[in-house]
Amino acid sequence: DTAVSQTPKYLVTQMGNDKSIKCEQNLGHDTMYWYKQDSKKFLKIMFSYNNKELIINETVPNRFSPKSPDKAHLNLHINSLELGDSAVYFCASSPNRGQPQHFGDGTRLSIL
Amino acid sequence: QQQVKQSPQSLIVQKGGISIINCAYENTAFDYFPWYQQFPGKGPALLIAIRPDVSEKKEGRFTISFNKSAKQFSLHIMDSQPGDSATYFCASMLSGGGADGLTFGKGTHLIIQP
């Protein structure tokens, strides 16, 4: 069974649309994260959630909003998509803050 | 502003050779230094990690060397195999749960030639 799973794997949409990416972890971890990997493969933290509380928020546009319905899920909602949002988005989880993180296989978002 | 500098950007090593990737960090508060391995179409996978209270950690063919005074750490892959061909990322973090999560280097594309 996949420890951290993301859906969809690929997402192609037009500029201005609103989309969501789902993430689920079955590791029993308390903290979940979203990272963005750009075309040059640079990985950058976007958000982290611990016990359903947002604990960090990098300089990410407020068009991006994480939502956690329960400890095992952290979904990423993106409003008014822009060309620059094209990237691979990775979900990750860790037992708690500051502990080893396990990543999903990513969602490749392409904006037309 | 990049807080973790990784080199080289790409590396070609013959099968059986030693692959060496280097990283330097700026934030002296960082106290957890993992290496991640990423294959095409997959997420980064934790390979090995070290904390600054030791200077070296070995797991199988993979070794991390850590130099706290120089703020540098490196990954050594012994007896490199074609299956090791991947992109490798070093990272740094505050293990106490600092606000920034993992700060990654820009990655090294490693190719092991058979």
Side-chain angles (χ1 to χ4, degrees), chain B residues 13-82:
Chain B
V13 174
Q14 296 295 314
K15 178 183 175 182
I18 303 174
S19 304
I20 302 174
I21 305 171
N22 301 299
C23 277
Y25 62 98
E26 298 175 0
N27 188 341
T28 56
F30 286 150
D31 61 355
Y32 174 68
F33 304 91
W35 284 90
Y36 281 83
Q37 179 188 56
Q38 185 179 26
F39 293 106
K42 296 293 186 180
L46 180 62
L47 194 60
I48 187 173
I50 197 168
R51 298 191 187 275
D53 52 344
V54 296
S55 60
E56 185 175 283
K57 183 175 181 180
K58 184 176 180 179
E59 290 184 1
R61 296 184 294 108
F62 300 92
T63 300
I64 299 179
S65 297
F66 184 81
N67 185 330
K68 187 174 181 178
S69 60
K71 295 189 290 184
Q72 295 176 346
F73 58 109
S74 60
L75 175 69
H76 291 63
I77 306 174
M78 312 300 288
D79 187 26
S80 299
Q81 299 297 311

Side-chain angles (χ1 to χ4, degrees), chain A residues 9 33 35 37 40-45 48 55-58 90 97-106, chain B residues 2 32 36 38 41-46 51 87 89 93-102 104-106:
Chain A
K9 188 171 178 65
Y33 310 81
Y35 287 82
Q37 187 171 46
K40 296 184 178 180
K41 292 199 170 183
F42 183 54
L43 277 157
K44 187 173 181 181
I45 182 80
S48 70
I55 59 171
I56 70 169
N57 189 340
E58 290 289 308
F90 287 98
R97 296 167 60 184
Q99 294 186 294
Q101 296 177 23
H102 301 263
F103 285 74
D105 282 339
Chain B
Q2 184 188 358
Y32 174 68
Y36 281 83
Q38 185 179 26
K42 296 293 186 180
L46 180 62
R51 298 191 187 275
T87 300
F89 294 93
M93 189 173 68
L94 290 167
S95 65
D100 294 333
L102 282 168
F104 282 93
K106 291 191 173 184

Side-chain angles (χ1 to χ4, degrees), chain A residues 6-11 20-22 34 87-91 105-109:
Chain A
Q6 298 178 225
T7 54
K9 188 171 178 65
Y10 300 97
L11 184 54
S20 296
I21 305 172
K22 294 185 177 181
W34 277 104
V88 182
Y89 292 84
F90 287 98
C91 177
D105 282 339
T107 295
R108 181 174 293 276
L109 174 63

